[in-house]
Amino acid sequence: MADSLPTEFDVIIIGTGLPESILAAACSRSGQRVLHVDSKSYYGGNWASFNFSGLLSWLKEYQQNNDTGEENSAAWQDMIHNTEEAIPLQRKDETIQHIEVFCYASENMDENTEEVNSFQENLSSASNTLPEPLDSTCLSKAAHSSNLSSYEMPDKDDSKSKGETSAELTDAEETLEKEKNCGDKTCIETVSDEDKDENKPLVEDNTDLPKKSRIAYSQIVKEGRRFNIDLISKLLYSQGLLIDLLIKSNVSRYAEFKNVTRILSFREGKIEQVPCSRADVFNSKELTMIEKRMLMKFLTFCLDYEQHPDEYQAFVQSSFSEYLKTKKLTPNLQHYILHSISMTSESSCTTLDGLKATKKFLQCLGRFGNTPFLFPLYGQGEIPQCFCRMCAVFGGIYCLRHKIQCLVIDKESRRCNAVIDHLGQRISAKYFIVEDSYLSEETCSNIHYKHISRAVLITDQSVLKIDSDQQISILTVPPVEPATCAVRVTELCSSSMTCMKDTYLVHLTCSSSKTAKEDLEPVVKMLFTPYTEADTDEGELKKPRILWALYFNMRDSSGVSRTSYKGLPSNVYVCSGPDCALGNDHAVKQAETLFQEIFPGEEFCPPPPNPEDIIFDCEDKQPESSITNVNEPSEESQTLENPEEHLEN
Amino acid sequence: MHGRLKVKTSEEQAEAKRIEREQKLKLYQSATQAVFQKRQAGELDESVLDLTSQILGANPDFATLWNCRREVLQQLETQKSPEEFAALVKAELGFLETCLRVNPKSYGTWHHRCWLLSRLPEPNWARELELCARFLEVDERNFHCWDYRRFVAAQAAVPPAEELAFTDSLITRNFSNYSSWHYRSCLLPQLHPPPDSGPQGRLPEDVLLKELELVQNAFFTDPNDQSAWFYHRWLLGRAEPQDALRCLHVSRDEACVTVSFSRPLLVGAGSETLLLIVDASPQAVEWRTPDGRNRPSLVWLCDLPTISLDDQLSQHAFRVILTTSDAQKECVLLKGCKEAWSRDSATDEQLFRCELSVEKSTVLQSELESCKELQELEPENKWCLLTIILLMRALDPLLYEKETLQYFQTLKAVDPMRATYLDDLRSKFLLENSVLKMEYADVRVLHLAHKDLTALCHLEQLLLVTHLDLSHNRLRSLPPALAALRCLEVLQANDNAIESLDGVTNLPRLQELSVCNNRLQQPAALQPLASCPRLALLIVQGNPLCQAAGISEHLAELLPSVSSILT
């Protein structure tokens, strides 16, 4: 399909992570011709979400990292003119390391084959019809992208988008193949052989004990489409930059959100629900009357702490936890505020940081519900796609699985003119936006990256069971030892459309000091127990059991300054991968800053005009077709439309 | 620029909007006219329903059109078959729902729904309850919907326990909800009817304690939320006192019987009947109020028929009966006595605790303690301070007098907007305390000097007082209710800011009045004193009126019966 790509654009964006996607939408919205490419077969880069089989193939890809190998570097060398030089881009993604997978659930071979069949059924249905919105598998993404391509070029022939669809379908079939293999091997990838040995006996034992309450690995695979597993675990602050941007730009119509329902804390080995809103405090059975007052009083003070400098001025130098000790708060209240509300467990956190964080948390309360956070249904990976969709609606062109070999630099002007893609096509543009992971080792040789430790668990019950099992919870586990970091735990229920019924998807995140497993396993062990046959007395079982676990480290390029990259021309802009923070502010800020730098004075993602205010011009069909898409009533767009309304009532 | 959308300018938009609005207005007006014409012509058919629904759909607050619809529906009910009419009603209910969505606080729409539902032979109340729940989900403080819910619950005889659980759920979501708290105060007495012997309108102690805990949760969470404090006050408050005769006084010299009641009553033809029985024979007497205006009053009096005061008999038995409530009082006037009385004691009956109930003092004590805890945390919370004062009064007004006054001072400082109200309340409490002290001392002399009083209340309790000292206060007038002090002989009110003496009228025994250093401007202000037959000494020094030339002569002329007037 690439030979039919236009060869000239205003902006070429490489990578479909959140900041790149926001930039793509912003550029396209302001009238720029945008080409947005990703070398992967999916949207989002490290911001993506996968269904279970998608995640398995993603894992596989990283384990077979070398097969990209040396390609036709000679082919593009020829296309560089004498007056030019090339900056080659990175061929393989090196942002993910130390992948370790553990399967504790039993395996049932018979069901596994059944699964393959059902998967094929899905496949054929997907090729015939558009996927229903519920269905955000790898497949649906493929179809999704073909949708987009038909938005982009309505005047061009259908065969192209068909071609793309079929290409994606073959990809899905490949995934299937992998799936089969993996079933044959009886155990999915594990890094060390010891792990494999550890798991194997369990696997065999479990096969002949089918209990109704038990969940077998095969079931997870079979219901794999129900999973949407985020690579990076984040939430949206109700008053955060991302929500504001989604609402302002009308991108919110492409997504649905659910409120995080519980803020949890881990204190003295026990998990408790943290009362944070006014209604929570009122209803709390755990707090005494006096504590209720103390807590409300402190929180009310935090809301406008700047107005009362005398209350904290003396403690500006000390840490927030020291400051809290002086505020007549009982130890459990101090714990709630420090770890669960301000989420500033680190001893380095100052009084001002803590007050600021608490204020932000409180300001977000009540906008959409009783907690400050929203979670996008079907996973965080939806968000970059929503912005891509907006970009496509305004004419942006999308190509997945499209590698860019190099940037072409004009020697004299020291500006980048063009890129050369994997098919050897030279595509020129004025501005280039590149995601950090695409830059070569040479370009990044000066940079020392931070890392994020991640764990993904599939468990059989919630860490804190209450009458309703459909809870989305966030829990901060304070540092186990003083030197380590706090671990952020997000537990998602099946109604968040990220895991199958009767399971929970648990994300653990902290900034790395060692490998992910070394960083996170102590916390996992504290909160969970492996899913083994040993626990016969289910009645006494307290901890949720792990069915499946994944650990990996992700590179955090968020702190890298532009000047650290070597030899990049001024019209090449760099977006970073996901950062470790809970919110998405960094990505939004970065996108806005870069947009302002590239197009000073242009409005950043203004709301699309009212359909009735658009003047239709017979000559120009392209915007018209876009408009129909803008108009298109989207069934997914209810949640964010008018948040202020709730507040007014 | 490539790919840019062409968008209408703001003037074009405004123009398009204006035209659209103009058209809408035309449609609206023509439809309204059509409805009125049809109504005038008596054409109450379905076309009127259609027309009104167009208008009401956009503006559900057009009350006349709802009336019009009711007329049409009543007409159609007689014309249509039951099936057809049922379909019509169903459509009407659906239409009402769309109107409620346009304006969930439309009086007319909710009223129309009430009207419709109460006319149906078999209304689906379950559906109505669900509708209420849905609208309260959107706005838990929509009192229109709360009203309607109470109507539905009453019609459908929903068990109060279920409704109580519903208020629970809404309070859980947001406790700043007057409607929900109020509904509780209606439901709880239904759920826990008082035992026949016990005081009316009170809750059993276990229920009361649970409610107190709930409401404490609310005011500890947010002490500035009034709704919880009001509910708290209801919980501790007590029901209306029953009508009672507080005091009966018979005076031989004035040949007069005076009674005071627990609440203002209107005695006379067509209302309360007050029966006077002297020595077992009913007397035909004319009752009047001390000020002669015969408006509802706490104090009523009548002249005794001369025969009933025959001095030959050793005694006379007087009995007054309030026929409507069977309340009565009796007393015996002995030979040679000038007067006789019978009254409820303020100390025994705890007359002044009307603010808060006579709950077991342990409950009040623990409430006081938690309020004091809260006050320590929130020294400036006015609701908390006020509640502490009320609780202290309910527990023991004399014991806590000093503390109460301190709390008043703090409260006035934090709530300067209500300083005058607080002054009056404080005056009232001080007066109550003085009455209590007077009764304990068993005297008829009341000292209220140097108390910073701004108002006089409970004067009906002072029926028997002979000496009253109001000096050194901040009184601006002696109110008409002072006329209730039928036994008053000496009244001192020096060093106030009194501008009028309207209350000093018809005091049959007043001999001495001292109002030095006040703000009496004109000699005419002393006019009311002329109605006090025994006034012999009047001291008015230090008032502006003394400056006038020839004031002594003027006053002597005005008050000829007063033997000495000091100016």
Side-chain angles (χ1 to χ4, degrees):
Chain A
M1 72 166 281
D3 50 352
S4 59
L5 263 183
T7 54
E8 209 190 311
F9 288 90
D10 294 315
V11 186
I12 293 176
I13 301 172
I14 305 165
T16 53
L18 185 57
E20 304 95 271
S21 302
I22 296 173
L23 267 167
C27 293
S28 164
R29 175 70 187 84
S30 81
Q32 307 297 322
R33 294 165 298 169
V34 175
L35 173 66
H36 198 175
V37 297
D38 197 308
S39 63
K40 315 267 176 33
S41 56
Y42 51 86
Y43 282 92
N46 280 346
W47 300 80
S49 307
F50 293 107
N51 68 17
F52 196 68
S53 67
L55 185 69
L56 294 183
S57 36
W58 178 82
L59 289 169
K60 190 155 226 164
E61 210 173 287
Y62 274 99
Q63 263 135 19
Q64 304 164 342
N65 219 339
N66 299 323
D67 65 349
T68 37
E70 290 296 304
E71 270 175 37
N72 38 358
S73 64
W76 58 263
Q77 294 288 9
D78 298 344
M79 304 185 65
I80 311 291
H81 304 276
N82 285 338
T83 58
E84 294 169 343
E85 63 185 41
I87 300 179
L89 293 186
Q90 184 80 337
R91 267 191 223 91
K92 53 179 187 179
D93 192 331
E94 282 174 345
T95 55
I96 306 294
Q97 289 171 306
H98 310 301
I99 294 178
E100 297 181 63
V101 178
F102 302 90
C103 179
Y104 301 100
S106 65
E107 190 134 4
N108 188 328
M109 301 287 280
D110 300 335
E111 282 183 40
N112 208 10
T113 46
E114 212 176 285
E115 178 274 320
V116 173
N117 291 335
S118 71
F119 213 78
Q120 262 158 354
E121 269 168 34
N122 283 324
L123 230 181
S124 53
S125 69
S127 59
N128 294 334
T129 56
L130 288 181
E132 37 185 344
L134 279 177
D135 188 347
S136 98
T137 60
C138 210
L139 277 177
S140 85
K141 280 188 179 129
H144 210 134
S145 70
S146 71
N147 272 348
L148 287 178
S149 72
S150 59
Y151 290 153
E152 296 150 25
M153 289 168 276
D155 45 342
K156 303 248 166 116
D157 56 328
D158 285 348
S159 63
K160 182 154 37 60
S161 49
K162 264 184 204 156
E164 193 183 307
T165 316
S166 61
E168 297 290 350
L169 286 175
T170 19
D171 175 51
E173 269 156 8
E174 276 167 30
T175 322
L176 248 183
E177 284 300 313
K178 284 175 203 160
E179 204 83 44
K180 266 185 198 158
N181 291 341
C182 144
D184 290 342
K185 274 192 252 161
T186 70
C187 182
I188 42 158
E189 299 90 6
T190 46
V191 171
S192 64
D193 283 353
E194 297 100 77
D195 290 332
K196 209 183 239 174
D197 292 340
E198 255 173 38
N199 292 331
K200 237 181 172 172
L202 300 176
V203 166
E204 279 159 9
D205 283 350
N206 287 352
T207 36
D208 40 21
L209 273 172
K211 268 194 201 168
K212 264 194 181 166
S213 63
R214 304 240 131 191
I215 296 160
Y217 179 67
S218 56
Q219 256 171 292
I220 296 177
V221 175
K222 183 179 168 186
E223 300 263 347
R225 293 189 311 120
R226 303 266 166 240
F227 288 90
N228 278 301
I229 301 168
D230 299 334
L231 292 185
I232 186 72
S233 167
K234 283 182 180 293
L235 296 172
L236 284 80
Y237 276 93
S238 308
Q239 299 273 19
L241 295 177
L242 185 54
I243 290 281
D244 291 347
L245 180 63
L246 283 167
I247 292 170
K248 175 187 161 201
S249 64
N250 265 2
V251 171
S252 57
R253 70 176 60 185
Y254 302 129
E256 253 187 298
F257 297 86
K258 228 183 157 73
N259 234 122
V260 170
T261 54
R262 300 188 297 187
I263 311 291
L264 302 179
S265 90
F266 188 75
R267 197 174 71 92
E268 290 165 359
K270 249 179 65 201
I271 291 178
E272 294 164 335
Q273 187 167 349
V274 175
C276 46
S277 67
R278 192 164 167 268
D280 282 353
V281 173
F282 170 67
N283 292 318
S284 168
K285 298 268 181 287
E286 281 77 30
L287 299 183
T288 65
M289 297 288 176
I290 298 291
E291 282 177 326
K292 288 184 181 196
R293 188 78 289 272
M294 300 279 198
L295 181 60
M296 284 300 289
K297 195 175 177 155
F298 183 74
L299 296 182
T300 320
F301 152 69
C302 287
L303 261 177
D304 57 352
Y305 72 92
E306 295 101 329
Q307 310 301 318
H308 312 280
D310 45 310
E311 293 268 325
Y312 61 90
Q313 212 68 63
F315 301 93
V316 176
Q317 300 300 324
S318 47
S319 72
F320 190 46
S321 59
E322 286 302 317
Y323 173 65
L324 288 176
K325 281 180 198 149
T326 68
K327 296 309 284 181
K328 287 194 251 163
L329 297 161
T330 53
N332 58 330
L333 293 183
Q334 290 178 33
H335 185 95
Y336 289 163
I337 295 167
L338 186 64
H339 301 294
S340 302
I341 293 179
S342 73
M343 292 184 281
T344 50
S345 306
E346 294 76 23
S347 54
S348 61
C349 175
T350 67
T351 301
L352 278 178
D353 293 338
L355 288 173
K356 210 171 140 194
T358 309
K359 181 177 175 175
K360 183 174 183 191
F361 182 100
L362 296 170
Q363 280 177 325
C364 292
L365 280 176
R367 188 176 193 191
F368 298 112
N370 255 343
T371 70
F373 306 112
L374 291 181
F375 179 78
L377 289 191
Y378 308 102
Q380 166 83 22
E382 288 295 299
I383 305 286
Q385 291 191 59
C386 293
F387 283 98
C388 291
R389 201 174 202 197
M390 181 57 108
C391 173
V393 161
F394 285 91
I397 291 180
Y398 276 81
C399 287
L400 290 184
R401 323 183 92 214
H402 202 98
K403 289 196 179 69
I404 300 296
Q405 312 255 34
C406 67
L407 306 170
V408 181
I409 317 292
D410 180 70
K411 275 183 189 164
E412 199 183 320
S413 66
R414 295 308 299 167
R415 283 178 73 83
C416 184
N417 295 336
V419 296
I420 295 172
D421 68 10
H422 64 306
L423 299 169
Q425 193 188 356
R426 187 186 164 110
I427 309 165
S428 60
K430 298 189 195 95
Y431 303 102
F432 301 84
I433 295 157
V434 187
E435 202 257 306
D436 167 88
S437 67
Y438 286 86
L439 296 171
S440 71
E441 271 166 49
E442 200 198 326
T443 313
C444 304
S445 57
N446 282 345
I447 296 162
H448 180 70
Y449 288 108
K450 289 181 293 180
H451 286 89
I452 304 166
S453 288
R454 291 274 295 116
V456 176
L457 314 175
I458 299 170
T459 65
D460 68 338
Q461 56 192 10
S462 173
V463 286
L464 182 63
K465 273 165 287 180
I466 53 167
D467 34 344
S468 158
D469 63 347
Q470 290 301 311
Q471 304 280 345
I472 301 180
S473 317
I474 171 162
L475 162 69
T476 312
V477 180
V480 183
E481 294 154 37
T484 57
C485 322
V487 174
R488 195 171 69 229
V489 182
T490 315
E491 185 187 74
L492 304 167
C493 61
S494 58
S495 64
S496 72
M497 304 298 176
T498 56
C499 57
M500 63 184 264
K501 205 169 159 283
D502 299 326
T503 65
Y504 292 84
L505 184 63
V506 182
H507 290 285
L508 291 92
T509 312
C510 72
S511 59
S512 305
S513 47
K514 293 172 248 169
T515 70
K517 181 161 175 259
E518 285 165 333
D519 280 338
L520 297 173
E521 202 176 33
V523 173
V524 171
K525 279 189 171 155
M526 251 173 357
L527 301 177
F528 306 95
T529 173
Y531 196 88
T532 62
E533 203 46 38
D535 20 78
T536 40
D537 45 349
E538 289 203 22
E540 285 174 38
L541 188 74
K542 280 195 180 135
K543 289 181 185 174
R545 295 173 301 179
I546 310 167
L547 301 162
W548 187 85
L550 158 69
Y551 294 94
F552 62 91
N553 288 80
M554 183 186 282
R555 195 165 84 183
D556 175 3
S557 52
S558 62
V560 179
S561 88
R562 174 68 170 75
T563 49
S564 317
Y565 298 102
K566 273 206 301 198
L568 284 187
S570 59
N571 62 339
V572 174
Y573 300 86
V574 184
C575 285
S576 57
D579 60 337
C580 194
L582 175 60
N584 294 282
D585 285 7
H586 183 268
V588 178
K589 250 185 227 155
Q590 187 172 52
E592 183 161 8
T593 314
L594 290 182
F595 181 79
Q596 244 50 344
E597 233 172 86
I598 303 171
F599 303 111
E602 280 287 314
E603 199 183 344
F604 179 64
C605 286
N610 234 343
E612 67 238 32
D613 293 341
I614 296 170
I615 298 165
F616 295 103
D617 192 348
C618 344
E619 292 162 23
D620 193 357
K621 285 204 173 119
Q622 196 153 317
E624 192 177 342
S625 61
S626 316
I627 289 146
T628 45
N629 289 321
V630 179
N631 275 337
E632 206 170 42
S634 161
E635 41 199 317
E636 297 143 59
S637 64
Q638 313 139 348
T639 338
L640 288 181
E641 291 287 20
N642 232 336
E644 311 301 344
E645 229 170 56
H646 298 283
L647 291 178
E648 277 164 18
N649 288 326
Chain B
M1 229 171 148
H2 167 88
R4 278 248 162 134
L5 291 173
K6 289 181 190 146
V7 175
K8 288 182 193 161
T9 61
S10 53
E11 293 97 71
E12 284 173 315
Q13 277 176 20
E15 179 62 16
K17 262 230 172 88
R18 196 186 60 79
I19 292 170
E20 200 188 312
R21 288 179 64 152
E22 225 164 60
Q23 279 168 342
K24 268 191 191 160
L25 181 67
K26 250 186 218 157
L27 279 173
Y28 186 89
Q29 283 172 333
S30 65
T32 311
Q33 220 153 30
V35 172
F36 285 156
Q37 274 165 7
K38 279 187 184 269
R39 195 185 185 196
Q40 217 153 29
E43 291 171 40
L44 297 172
D45 52 20
E46 274 158 301
S47 69
V48 177
L49 285 185
D50 283 345
L51 281 169
T52 51
S53 69
Q54 283 171 27
I55 304 169
L56 289 168
N59 172 22
D61 298 291
F62 202 151
T64 312
L65 294 193
W66 287 117
N67 282 335
C68 200
R69 271 180 102 79
R70 281 192 277 277
E71 287 164 17
V72 175
L73 286 171
Q74 274 170 327
Q75 178 103 10
L76 291 178
E77 195 175 9
T78 57
Q79 295 165 357
K80 299 269 177 186
S81 73
E83 292 79 29
E84 282 173 320
F85 189 70
L88 220 55
V89 164
K90 209 179 152 199
E92 188 74 359
L93 286 173
F95 171 65
L96 279 164
E97 239 179 283
T98 56
C99 290
L100 287 175
R101 253 178 252 125
V102 175
N103 179 7
K105 294 188 176 177
S106 156
Y107 284 94
T109 319
W110 287 108
H111 176 68
H112 191 67
R113 206 171 175 93
C114 280
W115 176 84
L116 192 64
L117 262 293
S118 49
R119 289 181 68 83
L120 295 186
E122 286 169 349
N124 184 353
W125 295 118
R127 194 172 165 279
E128 296 307 297
L129 280 174
E130 209 177 285
L131 177 109
C132 291
R134 234 172 41 233
F135 273 92
L136 289 174
E137 178 92 26
V138 177
D139 177 4
E140 68 269 9
R141 302 202 277 198
N142 183 347
F143 61 85
H144 299 260
C145 185
W146 276 105
D147 247 359
Y148 184 66
R149 189 181 178 97
R150 281 194 293 275
F151 162 78
V152 172
Q155 295 293 317
V158 180
E162 278 177 30
E163 288 296 282
L164 192 71
F166 180 76
T167 67
D168 268 339
S169 73
L170 276 139
I171 286 173
T172 306
R173 267 176 46 200
N174 177 5
F175 61 83
S176 305
N177 192 333
Y178 278 103
S179 305
S180 201
W181 291 115
H182 166 69
Y183 200 14
R184 286 183 92 76
S185 72
C186 299
L187 292 166
L188 284 168
Q190 283 180 47
L191 264 175
H192 309 282
D196 292 334
S197 58
Q200 288 294 308
R202 301 307 312 147
L203 298 175
E205 189 163 319
D206 56 328
V207 181
L208 182 70
L209 287 175
K210 247 177 80 188
E211 291 300 302
L212 284 171
E213 200 195 327
L214 183 73
V215 77
Q216 269 185 25
N217 269 323
F219 62 65
F220 268 84
T221 304
D222 186 355
N224 292 317
D225 187 274
Q226 306 179 20
S227 61
W229 289 108
F230 279 113
Y231 186 63
H232 186 250
R233 189 128 166 212
W234 175 79
L235 282 173
L236 295 177
R238 69 172 177 187
E240 286 280 295
Q242 282 184 309
D243 288 351
L245 268 159
R246 292 282 189 226
C247 183
L248 165 63
H249 177 259
V250 183
S251 163
R252 194 190 294 270
D253 289 353
E254 286 100 36
C256 176
V257 172
T258 313
V259 288
S260 73
F261 301 107
S262 56
R263 70 177 174 95
L265 291 175
L266 183 61
V267 176
S271 46
E272 310 285 347
T273 322
L274 206 52
L275 208 59
L276 173 67
I277 299 168
V278 183
D279 300 327
S281 60
Q283 306 287 320
V285 290
E286 195 86 358
W287 292 98
R288 63 173 198 274
T289 58
D291 58 8
R293 292 169 63 216
N294 291 351
R295 305 292 304 154
S297 166
L298 284 159
V299 178
W300 287 82
L301 50 91
C302 68
D303 296 326
L304 277 175
T306 36
I307 40 147
S308 58
L309 289 176
D310 180 0
D311 222 0
Q312 302 310 308
L313 289 168
S314 64
Q315 62 178 56
H316 289 290
F318 291 86
R319 179 204 286 249
V320 175
I321 303 171
L322 185 61
T323 48
T324 40
S325 69
D326 281 341
Q328 55 173 298
K329 272 266 171 308
E330 48 189 337
C331 69
V332 175
L333 181 65
L334 295 172
K335 186 174 175 180
C337 282
K338 287 186 163 186
E339 54 186 356
W341 67 82
S342 156
R343 66 161 173 192
D344 292 339
S345 159
T347 49
D348 295 346
E349 298 289 316
Q350 293 168 313
L351 289 181
F352 301 139
R353 295 196 184 174
C354 12
E355 297 296 335
L356 291 179
S357 75
V358 202
E359 271 322 318
K360 277 192 182 156
S361 58
T362 47
V363 175
L364 294 178
Q365 195 74 50
S366 77
E367 283 305 293
L368 178 62
E369 265 150 38
S370 49
C371 281
K372 276 183 161 174
E373 268 179 322
L374 180 60
Q375 204 262 331
E376 241 164 73
L377 298 168
E378 296 293 320
E380 307 221 316
N381 186 278
K382 59 173 180 170
W383 297 105
C384 186
L385 285 163
L386 185 60
T387 308
I388 289 178
I389 291 171
L390 296 178
L391 282 165
M392 284 181 163
R393 289 207 62 72
L395 277 162
D396 192 333
L398 293 179
L399 179 70
Y400 289 110
E401 185 177 70
K402 229 173 137 186
E403 255 183 285
T404 314
L405 291 178
Q406 279 165 359
Y407 280 117
F408 260 116
Q409 212 152 24
T410 324
L411 185 52
K412 243 178 94 172
V414 301
D415 192 11
M417 299 273 284
R418 266 154 286 270
T420 317
Y421 162 76
L422 293 170
D423 279 339
D424 287 356
L425 190 65
R426 182 179 164 281
S427 303
K428 181 179 165 201
F429 290 165
L430 281 173
L431 218 152
E432 287 171 0
N433 285 4
S434 299
V435 171
L436 288 175
K437 282 180 202 161
M438 176 180 72
E439 276 197 22
Y440 282 124
D442 200 17
V443 291
R444 294 170 71 181
V445 178
L446 187 57
H447 292 287
L448 292 169
H450 293 287
K451 288 199 184 291
D452 237 357
L453 300 183
T454 55
L456 295 173
C457 28
H458 291 309
L459 290 170
E460 78 285 353
Q461 295 294 328
L462 310 181
L463 216 58
L464 305 177
V465 167
T466 57
H467 292 71
L468 177 60
D469 186 358
L470 296 170
S471 300
H472 296 281
N473 283 302
R474 294 196 281 139
L475 299 172
R476 301 171 65 107
S477 72
L478 295 175
L482 198 75
L485 277 69
R486 304 289 297 168
C487 305
L488 192 63
E489 292 164 13
V490 177
L491 173 59
Q492 284 169 294
N494 303 323
D495 297 290
N496 279 288
I498 296 169
E499 291 165 2
S500 109
L501 297 174
D502 289 349
V504 195
T505 48
N506 298 317
L507 293 175
R509 299 187 188 174
L510 187 68
Q511 297 166 13
E512 193 182 319
L513 173 64
S514 174
V515 284
C516 299
N517 303 327
N518 278 296
R519 296 189 190 159
L520 297 167
Q521 305 284 349
Q522 301 296 328
L526 303 181
Q527 178 70 56
L529 305 180
S531 62
C532 299
R534 296 200 192 168
L535 186 62
L537 174 61
L538 170 65
I539 310 172
V540 288
Q541 287 155 336
N543 281 290
L545 61 82
C546 303
Q547 308 297 323
I551 185 67
S552 304
E553 293 74 27
H554 191 163
L555 288 183
E557 199 180 310
L558 189 71
L559 304 166
S561 61
V562 182
S563 54
S564 88
I565 300 176
L566 304 183
T567 55

